[in-house]
Amino acid sequence: MAATIRDVARVAGVGLGTVSRVINNSPLVSHATRQRVLDVIAELRYNPSQIARSFALGKTLTVATIAPFFTRPSVVERLRGIEAALASGGYALVVFNVETPARRDNCLRDVPRSQRADGLLIISLAPQPEEVLALQETGLPVVLIDAYADSLPGVTIDDVAGGTLATEYLIALGHRRIGFIGDLIADAMSFNFTSSRHRLEGYQQALVSAGIPPRDDYQRHGLHGRYEARVLARDLLELSEPPTALFAASDTQAMGVLEAARDLDLAVPDQLSVIGFDDIDVAEYLGLTTIRQLLFESGERGVELLLKRMANPSAKLEREYLPIELIARGTTRRIAR
């Protein structure tokens, strides 16, 4: 039979209350006693019931996460970081998948009011000002990951700087005909995604700074996906004067660009340079030049901020910008000016 809390107390020579305090990280236990109880828990392989713990603590011991399109590689990697950090903290994870604007609105409205979680993480979906106020009125601690909103703590990157970094690298390689492939602007606005349009802003700023007028005909926007990016890239590459380099707002879209180049028998990087964004696992396998952001770590850090907020809701608001890095691989090359 599985060990019980009474078995732990008996073997450790302490009372049931002491074992409970050790499990719930109470400071009212000496170091020696705590270690003895933990050793017995490990020896007996005792696994305290989460339901029992939640009743004792008056908490759900659950964190909710609202995530858009949670099968996308970048979102999966963030969720992996979240789950790892929550597991080590003794919390369970519940994920609410968002694939439509209506689902987004419903989740932001209903999940914080459900009383089924002790805290909420929101990935990539920046709440509107009125939604921020509604979230604050619930009293539930909230942390944003890959999104920004006034009055809410969060972990993100500078996407404008990322778009600038990618484009400046292509310019330094001698390219002047540089195209951009990103998310459909109307779709991004309905979800209030910001990353693609901020990376576009960085791309345009880099061109202007280099004295290269941004060309509308070198910019394509569509639904986020490899196939959609493949179609957009083919359209760009079949222009009478096609770009010599393409910046895709994500590695997934960059994969579509590589497929379009293959469709048209264009050698990468000899005839076309390609750069992506995110540095998901497959990017290294493909030899894709990209902008690396710390996806797994952003999930971990989001949990750390949330747990601090849950412990002290009145704590100072924290907002962090994680670093980005250019990873040069085999899909870009220098050309003659």
Side-chain angles (χ1 to χ4, degrees), residues 161-175 178 202-203 205-207 209-210 275 326 337:
T164 299
L165 180 61
T167 309
E168 285 179 342
Y169 178 69
L170 295 173
I171 293 170
L173 292 178
H175 296 279
I178 302 171
Y203 154 84
Q205 288 181 4
L207 291 177
S209 296
I275 187 169
L326 173 73
R337 289 184 182 271

mmCIF file of all heavy atoms in Angstrom, residues 161-175 178 202-203 205-207 209-210 275 326 337:
data_model
loop_
_atom_site.group_PDB
_atom_site.id
_atom_site.type_symbol
_atom_site.label_atom_id
_atom_site.label_comp_id
_atom_site.label_asym_id
_atom_site.label_seq_id
_atom_site.Cartn_x
_atom_site.Cartn_y
_atom_site.Cartn_z
ATOM 1 N N ALA A 161 13.786 46.001 -31.864
ATOM 2 C CA ALA A 161 15.234 45.814 -31.927
ATOM 3 C C ALA A 161 15.591 44.524 -32.657
ATOM 4 O O ALA A 161 16.587 44.461 -33.389
ATOM 5 C CB ALA A 161 15.834 45.812 -30.522
ATOM 6 N N GLY A 162 14.785 43.487 -32.472
ATOM 7 C CA GLY A 162 15.036 42.224 -33.167
ATOM 8 C C GLY A 162 14.895 42.364 -34.669
ATOM 9 O O GLY A 162 15.713 41.837 -35.438
ATOM 10 N N GLY A 163 13.850 43.079 -35.111
ATOM 11 C CA GLY A 163 13.675 43.309 -36.544
ATOM 12 C C GLY A 163 14.793 44.149 -37.117
ATOM 13 O O GLY A 163 15.261 43.915 -38.240
ATOM 14 N N THR A 164 15.250 45.112 -36.329
ATOM 15 C CA THR A 164 16.371 45.947 -36.760
ATOM 16 C C THR A 164 17.644 45.115 -36.880
ATOM 17 O O THR A 164 18.395 45.225 -37.865
ATOM 18 C CB THR A 164 16.588 47.100 -35.764
ATOM 19 O OG1 THR A 164 15.408 47.907 -35.718
ATOM 20 C CG2 THR A 164 17.775 47.959 -36.170
ATOM 21 N N LEU A 165 17.899 44.277 -35.893
ATOM 22 C CA LEU A 165 19.108 43.449 -35.885
ATOM 23 C C LEU A 165 19.158 42.530 -37.100
ATOM 24 O O LEU A 165 20.197 42.400 -37.767
ATOM 25 C CB LEU A 165 19.153 42.631 -34.593
ATOM 26 C CG LEU A 165 20.344 41.691 -34.396
ATOM 27 C CD1 LEU A 165 21.654 42.465 -34.367
ATOM 28 C CD2 LEU A 165 20.169 40.890 -33.097
ATOM 29 N N ALA A 166 18.042 41.885 -37.412
ATOM 30 C CA ALA A 166 17.993 40.976 -38.557
ATOM 31 C C ALA A 166 18.254 41.717 -39.863
ATOM 32 O O ALA A 166 19.026 41.254 -40.717
ATOM 33 C CB ALA A 166 16.626 40.284 -38.610
ATOM 34 N N THR A 167 17.624 42.871 -40.015
ATOM 35 C CA THR A 167 17.749 43.616 -41.264
ATOM 36 C C THR A 167 19.131 44.237 -41.410
ATOM 37 O O THR A 167 19.718 44.240 -42.503
ATOM 38 C CB THR A 167 16.656 44.694 -41.333
ATOM 39 O OG1 THR A 167 15.380 44.101 -41.056
ATOM 40 C CG2 THR A 167 16.619 45.340 -42.709
ATOM 41 N N GLU A 168 19.671 44.759 -40.319
ATOM 42 C CA GLU A 168 21.019 45.333 -40.377
ATOM 43 C C GLU A 168 22.052 44.275 -40.754
ATOM 44 O O GLU A 168 23.030 44.572 -41.454
ATOM 45 C CB GLU A 168 21.379 45.947 -39.023
ATOM 46 C CG GLU A 168 20.680 47.264 -38.741
ATOM 47 C CD GLU A 168 21.029 47.848 -37.387
ATOM 48 O OE1 GLU A 168 21.535 47.081 -36.519
ATOM 49 O OE2 GLU A 168 20.798 49.043 -37.177
ATOM 50 N N TYR A 169 21.836 43.048 -40.314
ATOM 51 C CA TYR A 169 22.774 41.974 -40.674
ATOM 52 C C TYR A 169 22.741 41.726 -42.182
ATOM 53 O O TYR A 169 23.794 41.583 -42.824
ATOM 54 C CB TYR A 169 22.413 40.701 -39.913
ATOM 55 C CG TYR A 169 23.296 39.528 -40.254
ATOM 56 C CD1 TYR A 169 24.632 39.505 -39.882
ATOM 57 C CD2 TYR A 169 22.790 38.435 -40.955
ATOM 58 C CE1 TYR A 169 25.453 38.437 -40.190
ATOM 59 C CE2 TYR A 169 23.588 37.356 -41.264
ATOM 60 C CZ TYR A 169 24.923 37.359 -40.885
ATOM 61 O OH TYR A 169 25.723 36.289 -41.198
ATOM 62 N N LEU A 170 21.555 41.700 -42.756
ATOM 63 C CA LEU A 170 21.440 41.493 -44.201
ATOM 64 C C LEU A 170 22.062 42.664 -44.972
ATOM 65 O O LEU A 170 22.714 42.465 -45.997
ATOM 66 C CB LEU A 170 19.973 41.318 -44.593
ATOM 67 C CG LEU A 170 19.281 40.065 -44.040
ATOM 68 C CD1 LEU A 170 17.793 40.088 -44.357
ATOM 69 C CD2 LEU A 170 19.930 38.789 -44.590
ATOM 70 N N ILE A 171 21.859 43.876 -44.472
ATOM 71 C CA ILE A 171 22.458 45.055 -45.113
ATOM 72 C C ILE A 171 23.981 44.970 -45.055
ATOM 73 O O ILE A 171 24.682 45.267 -46.035
ATOM 74 C CB ILE A 171 21.954 46.348 -44.440
ATOM 75 C CG1 ILE A 171 20.457 46.527 -44.702
ATOM 76 C CG2 ILE A 171 22.732 47.559 -44.956
ATOM 77 C CD1 ILE A 171 19.807 47.629 -43.883
ATOM 78 N N ALA A 172 24.504 44.537 -43.900
ATOM 79 C CA ALA A 172 25.959 44.413 -43.748
ATOM 80 C C ALA A 172 26.537 43.375 -44.698
ATOM 81 O O ALA A 172 27.718 43.451 -45.076
ATOM 82 C CB ALA A 172 26.306 44.044 -42.305
ATOM 83 N N LEU A 173 25.716 42.413 -45.119
ATOM 84 C CA LEU A 173 26.166 41.402 -46.076
ATOM 85 C C LEU A 173 26.089 41.904 -47.516
ATOM 86 O O LEU A 173 26.424 41.167 -48.442
ATOM 87 C CB LEU A 173 25.316 40.130 -45.930
ATOM 88 C CG LEU A 173 25.497 39.344 -44.628
ATOM 89 C CD1 LEU A 173 24.548 38.139 -44.597
ATOM 90 C CD2 LEU A 173 26.939 38.868 -44.465
ATOM 91 N N GLY A 174 25.643 43.141 -47.687
ATOM 92 C CA GLY A 174 25.615 43.735 -49.024
ATOM 93 C C GLY A 174 24.248 43.786 -49.668
ATOM 94 O O GLY A 174 24.100 44.308 -50.776
ATOM 95 N N HIS A 175 23.219 43.265 -49.010
ATOM 96 C CA HIS A 175 21.876 43.242 -49.601
ATOM 97 C C HIS A 175 21.211 44.606 -49.494
ATOM 98 O O HIS A 175 21.304 45.282 -48.466
ATOM 99 C CB HIS A 175 21.006 42.193 -48.902
ATOM 100 C CG HIS A 175 21.493 40.794 -49.065
ATOM 101 N ND1 HIS A 175 21.240 40.043 -50.187
ATOM 102 C CD2 HIS A 175 22.254 40.015 -48.243
ATOM 103 C CE1 HIS A 175 21.806 38.845 -50.049
ATOM 104 N NE2 HIS A 175 22.434 38.813 -48.890
ATOM 105 N N ILE A 178 15.717 43.814 -49.895
ATOM 106 C CA ILE A 178 15.402 42.938 -48.756
ATOM 107 C C ILE A 178 13.891 42.911 -48.554
ATOM 108 O O ILE A 178 13.250 43.952 -48.364
ATOM 109 C CB ILE A 178 16.099 43.434 -47.472
ATOM 110 C CG1 ILE A 178 17.614 43.494 -47.677
ATOM 111 C CG2 ILE A 178 15.755 42.526 -46.286
ATOM 112 C CD1 ILE A 178 18.353 44.181 -46.534
ATOM 113 N N GLY A 202 10.949 47.343 -36.990
ATOM 114 C CA GLY A 202 12.400 47.318 -36.899
ATOM 115 C C GLY A 202 13.053 47.160 -38.262
ATOM 116 O O GLY A 202 14.085 47.789 -38.544
ATOM 117 N N TYR A 203 12.452 46.317 -39.098
ATOM 118 C CA TYR A 203 12.928 46.117 -40.479
ATOM 119 C C TYR A 203 12.902 47.430 -41.246
ATOM 120 O O TYR A 203 13.883 47.822 -41.905
ATOM 121 C CB TYR A 203 12.038 45.057 -41.135
ATOM 122 C CG TYR A 203 11.911 45.087 -42.626
ATOM 123 C CD1 TYR A 203 12.847 44.470 -43.456
ATOM 124 C CD2 TYR A 203 10.806 45.700 -43.228
ATOM 125 C CE1 TYR A 203 12.697 44.479 -44.844
ATOM 126 C CE2 TYR A 203 10.634 45.706 -44.602
ATOM 127 C CZ TYR A 203 11.591 45.108 -45.411
ATOM 128 O OH TYR A 203 11.437 45.103 -46.773
ATOM 129 N N GLN A 205 12.820 50.522 -40.030
ATOM 130 C CA GLN A 205 13.749 51.483 -39.439
ATOM 131 C C GLN A 205 15.182 51.230 -39.902
ATOM 132 O O GLN A 205 15.921 52.177 -40.191
ATOM 133 C CB GLN A 205 13.672 51.416 -37.912
ATOM 134 C CG GLN A 205 12.401 51.999 -37.322
ATOM 135 C CD GLN A 205 12.386 51.935 -35.809
ATOM 136 O OE1 GLN A 205 13.360 51.510 -35.175
ATOM 137 N NE2 GLN A 205 11.283 52.339 -35.202
ATOM 138 N N ALA A 206 15.571 49.952 -39.974
ATOM 139 C CA ALA A 206 16.932 49.624 -40.401
ATOM 140 C C ALA A 206 17.169 50.040 -41.847
ATOM 141 O O ALA A 206 18.240 50.551 -42.202
ATOM 142 C CB ALA A 206 17.183 48.125 -40.222
ATOM 143 N N LEU A 207 16.178 49.825 -42.696
ATOM 144 C CA LEU A 207 16.313 50.221 -44.101
ATOM 145 C C LEU A 207 16.473 51.736 -44.228
ATOM 146 O O LEU A 207 17.359 52.223 -44.940
ATOM 147 C CB LEU A 207 15.090 49.749 -44.895
ATOM 148 C CG LEU A 207 14.934 48.237 -45.097
ATOM 149 C CD1 LEU A 207 13.623 47.940 -45.831
ATOM 150 C CD2 LEU A 207 16.114 47.655 -45.860
ATOM 151 N N SER A 209 17.512 53.869 -42.000
ATOM 152 C CA SER A 209 18.799 54.293 -41.435
ATOM 153 C C SER A 209 19.945 54.046 -42.402
ATOM 154 O O SER A 209 20.952 54.761 -42.393
ATOM 155 C CB SER A 209 19.069 53.569 -40.115
ATOM 156 O OG SER A 209 18.116 53.929 -39.145
ATOM 157 N N ALA A 210 19.800 53.019 -43.263
ATOM 158 C CA ALA A 210 20.847 52.698 -44.236
ATOM 159 C C ALA A 210 20.649 53.422 -45.557
ATOM 160 O O ALA A 210 21.400 53.193 -46.516
ATOM 161 C CB ALA A 210 20.877 51.188 -44.474
ATOM 162 N N ILE A 275 16.614 34.830 -43.378
ATOM 163 C CA ILE A 275 16.795 34.921 -41.932
ATOM 164 C C ILE A 275 15.437 34.823 -41.263
ATOM 165 O O ILE A 275 14.442 35.370 -41.743
ATOM 166 C CB ILE A 275 17.518 36.230 -41.537
ATOM 167 C CG1 ILE A 275 17.861 36.238 -40.046
ATOM 168 C CG2 ILE A 275 16.719 37.460 -41.909
ATOM 169 C CD1 ILE A 275 18.811 37.367 -39.644
ATOM 170 N N LEU A 326 21.750 37.376 -32.556
ATOM 171 C CA LEU A 326 21.824 36.922 -33.937
ATOM 172 C C LEU A 326 22.605 35.618 -34.005
ATOM 173 O O LEU A 326 23.731 35.531 -33.500
ATOM 174 C CB LEU A 326 22.513 37.975 -34.802
ATOM 175 C CG LEU A 326 22.800 37.548 -36.248
ATOM 176 C CD1 LEU A 326 21.514 37.500 -37.059
ATOM 177 C CD2 LEU A 326 23.801 38.484 -36.902
ATOM 178 N N ARG A 337 28.201 44.401 -53.614
ATOM 179 C CA ARG A 337 27.309 45.552 -53.730
ATOM 180 C C ARG A 337 27.236 46.026 -55.176
ATOM 181 O O ARG A 337 28.198 45.939 -55.909
ATOM 182 C CB ARG A 337 27.809 46.694 -52.847
ATOM 183 C CG ARG A 337 27.627 46.419 -51.343
ATOM 184 C CD ARG A 337 28.053 47.631 -50.546
ATOM 185 N NE ARG A 337 27.943 47.391 -49.124
ATOM 186 C CZ ARG A 337 26.845 47.622 -48.400
ATOM 187 N NH1 ARG A 337 25.773 48.078 -48.995
ATOM 188 N NH2 ARG A 337 26.839 47.380 -47.103
#
